[in-house]
Amino acid sequence: MKRLFRSLLLAALAVPVVGCGDDALNTEPQTILTDEQVWGDPNLIVSVLADYYNRLPRHTDFGVNGNCDYNPPDAYCGWKDYAAYDEALWSGVGNFDYEFRNSLINYPYERWSEWNYDLIRDINLAIEKIQEVESPKLSPALKEQFIAELRFLRAFNYFLLVIRMGGVPIITTQLIYDFSGDPSPLQHPRNTEAEVYDFIAAELDEIGPKLGNEGSYTRANRWTALALKSRAMLYAGSIARHNSEMASPITLPGGEVGIPADRAEGYYQASLDASRELIQNGPYELYRGNPDPGENFYEAVSHKTGNREVIMAIDYLASQGRSHRFTLENIPRSLRVDQDNVSGGSALSPSLNLVETYDYLDGSSGELRGVGDGTVAGQKNWIFYDEPDDIFEGKDPRLYGTIIYPGASFAGKQLEIQAGVYRCTPSAVYQRIEGQRDTDYEDGGVLTGADGPIRAENYLSATGFYLRKYLDTNPAAATSATGSDMWWVWFRLGEVYLNAAEAAYELGLEQEALGYINTLRERAGFPPNSLTSLTREKIRSERWAELAFEDHRLWDLKRWRIAHQLWDGTETSETANIYVLFPYRIVCPGTPQHNKYVFDKFQSDRQTAPRYFRMGNYYSQIPQSALDNNPKLVRNPFH
């Protein structure tokens, strides 16, 4: 319906309105809408706004109705790209492009590229038309609110452009060709990266009080504007500081990329001010609706009723046909229910790299204890655990809220995650035996679990873990007939706490930063004041633990200027390669180890190329068509 309206709207805008004395020509059109009809009707303006929200660039969202194989604005689903970095492997069907995420040689320079000036043009046009229109349905106050919301969308879009491209031309009015044969008035040079961030901040400051929409999760209000400013100014401060810390900062002579180091404090302060306002005076609070801290953290993102942590989200409603297939595609193998039970599930296998980011509640770092490496020598490191989930005892409950690990359950159903058995031998060396999914060993116990893991089988975990965050517990959500209406979160208060912590730390306000981090950790299940000091690295690991699978990891590593260090393309790197954790049952009757569990950690067999982020990936390639049409555009470095 939105597409139909948009077509009608564009048709209306393409046809000039002319006066004529012929009554027949004055007949009211039946198939198109006039400017006055569109821009003078609040309901139609809301429809236009919905279209513009849907056209904002997104990276790892859910898409709609499973339409993930092509890329119109309302059908793109990017969540599969979680398997392109270090949070997960791809373990869905392997015979088309998504398997390439496990074998990416490098990231192409055009990856993440965006140049959507069609949306900017449409927003500018809408602003001008609403300003011009005279309608009894549109009061001055309502006009001001709609224009503020359009300017929010434009500022948000410029943020989504600048994090990909660096500085871009800031266009705030319609560009109309005069048919003179000279297109140069339409050709604008790129603004500096700093100017784009300054524009975003100024716009948000001006429009915030005018936005209305109080209490809305899906339309911008003044608090959403503050959340965006909190994030955008943190990004600008990071680039100003961390780019200058590089041995060879990434810059262009005109400032199209790179921000002077002396701007860092101002941006960090702006981010901190916005975060403080949201935390201290906003209507939001950290979710504490469930006494179990792990379940509480899962609900903090997924619970839609009365959730005062979420500030803005893309929402779905399955009963009205607006749903997605994220749960269908990621439900653990033994829980899939769709159709004839032969497809879907287990597409993303979370990485051990992420699992070990979560600290233990006693404050020790998160590396799992007593783990072998799959070799005979590594067996001396084993701890023999009584139960599969004992190895995770005492971990940060956010791990439970994010990932399904061996021994855990989902929606009240126990999973069976076991890779195989280790059988003792007379030589005192254990022999590893792995089987097919859901098989028993000769002793009558489980050989390989109904949920794997298996090293390279589609629709089955390849890492020993399944995703919990954003997975819908409603059984119908795992079916293609119904799908899930789990929302996708743009902004939540947990992120704002982390933004505030990072900005405060970079401003030298460590005690204030500690307060924000410890509040989040206490909500997660840590004791009060669990940290007494901070480092940049600690703030960054807390951010990963809290915001995993929420579309922050890539952008954080880029703005910190460490993506090329972590994802360096080397075979031996522990950060460029995906590690797995396979659980095994011990078979050694008559010994204390019999039927206990051991774990091996090793690089995934399914990932065939380490992650390789090149210097030219910090800023994406400007499309050649844009360069051809506008000689004033400067290419990004390394392209």
Side-chain angles (χ1 to χ4, degrees):
M1 191 62 186
K2 289 172 191 162
R3 286 181 175 287
L4 175 61
F5 170 74
R6 188 175 166 199
S7 300
L8 294 172
L9 171 61
L10 291 174
L13 298 177
V15 178
V17 179
V18 296
C20 182
D22 188 328
D23 289 343
L25 294 180
N26 283 334
T27 301
E28 194 73 21
Q30 299 299 309
T31 58
I32 61 174
L33 299 171
T34 65
D35 279 359
E36 289 73 17
Q37 288 173 314
V38 174
W39 306 117
D41 186 328
N43 291 327
L44 289 178
I45 294 174
V46 169
S47 295
V48 174
L49 285 168
D51 177 54
Y52 294 170
Y53 276 103
N54 282 337
R55 292 165 63 189
L56 287 171
R58 302 190 291 272
H59 179 228
T60 53
D61 67 313
F62 295 150
V64 176
N65 297 330
N67 296 318
C68 306
D69 299 329
Y70 56 99
N71 190 24
D74 63 354
Y76 176 72
C77 68
W79 60 263
K80 296 178 180 180
D81 271 353
Y82 282 127
Y85 310 116
D86 58 5
E87 291 185 334
L89 274 179
W90 181 255
S91 49
V93 66
N95 60 354
F96 62 102
D97 77 302
Y98 295 116
E99 180 67 2
F100 295 167
R101 287 163 174 77
N102 293 343
S103 54
L104 283 168
I105 302 301
N106 53 50
Y107 299 108
Y109 287 148
E110 69 271 20
R111 196 179 183 96
W112 316 297
S113 180
E114 190 66 58
W115 203 261
N116 63 347
Y117 277 86
D118 57 337
L119 176 57
I120 293 172
R121 175 203 62 211
D122 290 350
I123 292 174
N124 289 338
L125 182 147
I127 291 172
E128 293 172 16
K129 292 297 182 184
I130 293 174
Q131 287 171 332
E132 294 169 1
V133 75
E134 296 292 338
S135 168
K137 299 179 182 177
L138 212 56
S139 68
L142 196 52
K143 268 189 175 185
E144 183 178 65
Q145 180 179 338
F146 281 136
I147 290 171
E149 193 164 0
L150 288 161
R151 289 172 65 184
F152 170 85
L153 286 165
R154 188 173 61 190
F156 198 178
N157 189 68
Y158 273 115
F159 171 70
L160 297 170
L161 286 179
V162 73
I163 65 174
R164 290 165 166 80
M165 315 303 296
V168 295
I170 299 173
I171 308 296
T172 58
T173 59
Q174 288 190 76
L175 300 180
I176 300 174
Y177 182 51
D178 62 5
F179 296 97
S180 67
D182 177 14
S184 60
L186 307 180
Q187 295 166 336
H188 289 244
R190 299 172 65 182
N191 285 82
T192 68
E193 190 168 11
E195 286 172 341
V196 177
Y197 280 109
D198 293 343
F199 171 77
I200 293 166
E203 285 289 279
L204 295 175
D205 285 345
E206 186 172 332
I207 64 174
K210 306 173 184 175
L211 277 167
N213 301 327
E214 289 288 325
S216 176
Y217 287 120
T218 55
R219 293 178 62 185
N221 55 43
R222 58 178 166 147
W223 307 109
T224 320
L226 282 171
L228 175 55
K229 187 177 180 185
S230 163
R231 188 188 294 180
M233 295 300 96
L234 183 70
Y235 276 48
S238 302
I239 292 166
R241 176 146 298 165
H242 303 309
N243 193 57
S244 67
E245 293 171 345
M246 300 178 80
S248 299
I250 305 170
T251 61
L252 284 171
E256 293 87 352
V257 303
I259 298 176
D262 61 7
R263 297 289 310 273
E265 287 209 3
Y267 286 128
Y268 281 129
Q269 189 63 57
S271 174
L272 181 58
D273 290 344
S275 300
R276 285 172 173 164
E277 177 67 13
L278 247 170
I279 293 169
Q280 296 170 8
N281 300 316
Y284 306 95
E285 60 184 26
L286 295 177
Y287 184 87
R288 301 178 193 271
N290 193 312
D292 181 283
E295 290 288 350
N296 186 73
F297 185 70
Y298 165 73
E299 292 179 5
V301 177
S302 63
H303 194 65
K304 292 169 60 173
T305 303
N307 187 334
R308 294 175 60 190
E309 175 156 350
V310 171
I311 299 169
M312 183 177 176
I314 299 173
D315 205 3
Y316 299 83
L317 191 59
S319 62
Q320 295 186 10
R322 182 173 168 80
S323 62
H324 56 79
R325 297 184 178 180
F326 183 77
T327 296
L328 167 68
E329 298 282 4
N330 286 287
I331 195 77
R333 175 62 175 265
S334 67
L335 303 184
R336 72 182 187 183
V337 295
D338 192 46
Q339 297 178 356
D340 52 1
N341 195 28
V342 297
S343 64
S346 318
L348 294 174
S349 292
S351 68
L352 178 60
N353 314 42
L354 171 61
V355 168
E356 293 196 319
T357 294
Y358 295 90
D359 286 349
Y360 287 90
L361 291 172
D362 64 6
S364 54
S365 62
E367 291 81 15
L368 294 173
R369 299 159 181 167
V371 174
D373 60 5
T375 68
V376 171
Q379 294 180 7
K380 70 177 185 302
N381 297 325
W382 281 344
I383 291 177
F384 294 85
Y385 290 97
D386 291 335
E387 300 295 336
D389 56 349
D390 284 353
I391 191 172
F392 306 102
E393 186 175 349
K395 290 278 281 184
D396 180 342
R398 287 177 294 188
L399 171 63
Y400 174 91
T402 304
I403 288 170
I404 304 171
Y405 47 72
S409 60
F410 179 75
K413 298 177 182 176
Q414 185 78 34
L415 268 65
E416 190 176 68
I417 302 175
Q418 180 180 313
V421 300
Y422 267 107
R423 180 177 62 185
C424 59
T425 67
S427 63
V429 170
Y430 288 90
Q431 177 189 13
R432 183 176 61 233
I433 302 169
E434 296 175 354
Q436 301 296 312
R437 186 187 77 86
D438 199 15
T439 53
D440 289 341
Y441 188 55
E442 60 191 28
D443 68 345
V446 173
L447 171 58
T448 299
D451 293 293
I454 288 181
R455 296 169 187 252
E457 181 172 323
N458 296 335
Y459 303 130
L460 199 64
S461 173
T463 62
F465 304 106
Y466 287 92
L467 191 64
R468 185 189 301 274
K469 186 177 279 186
Y470 280 134
L471 212 59
D472 196 330
T473 57
N474 180 358
T479 68
S480 54
T482 302
S484 171
D485 54 12
M486 178 71 72
W487 59 14
W488 188 81
V489 176
W490 277 113
F491 299 101
R492 66 179 174 94
L493 194 61
E495 182 212 341
V496 177
Y497 271 78
L498 289 162
N499 295 347
E502 185 176 338
Y505 182 83
E506 294 295 338
L507 289 167
L509 305 172
E510 184 176 354
Q511 288 305 308
E512 183 174 353
L514 262 174
Y516 297 125
I517 294 287
N518 278 334
T519 298
L520 278 182
R521 284 166 64 92
E522 187 175 350
R523 187 273 291 268
F526 284 87
N529 302 314
S530 57
L531 294 177
T532 57
S533 63
L534 280 176
T535 62
R536 271 185 185 169
E537 289 68 30
K538 188 59 192 166
I539 291 172
R540 291 171 179 179
S541 68
E542 285 292 324
R543 192 172 175 91
W544 197 13
E546 176 79 21
L547 301 176
F549 298 109
E550 295 185 45
D551 197 23
H552 290 276
R553 179 67 173 166
L554 169 69
W555 312 109
D556 284 341
L557 297 189
K558 288 180 68 173
R559 67 183 175 85
W560 292 330
R561 293 294 195 255
I562 58 173
H564 69 289
Q565 296 170 341
L566 297 187
W567 302 337
D568 63 4
T570 61
E571 299 285 349
T572 56
S573 167
E574 292 197 359
T575 52
N577 295 281
I578 302 297
Y579 282 79
V580 307
L581 185 76
F582 274 26
Y584 297 89
R585 181 172 62 89
I586 292 292
V587 178
C588 197
T591 71
Q593 290 78 29
H594 183 58
N595 277 338
K596 293 197 174 184
Y597 296 87
V598 296
F599 295 83
D600 282 341
K601 166 186 176 178
F602 50 88
Q603 284 189 19
S604 167
D605 298 313
R606 192 155 181 167
Q607 184 192 18
T608 58
R611 303 302 187 214
Y612 185 27
F613 186 99
R614 298 173 290 169
M615 298 299 283
N617 290 128
Y618 277 108
Y619 295 97
S620 294
Q621 185 171 295
I622 297 174
Q624 188 60 47
S625 58
L627 295 167
D628 292 342
N629 290 330
N630 184 358
K632 296 175 183 173
L633 296 178
V634 178
R635 291 178 185 272
N636 275 333
F638 308 104
H639 300 170

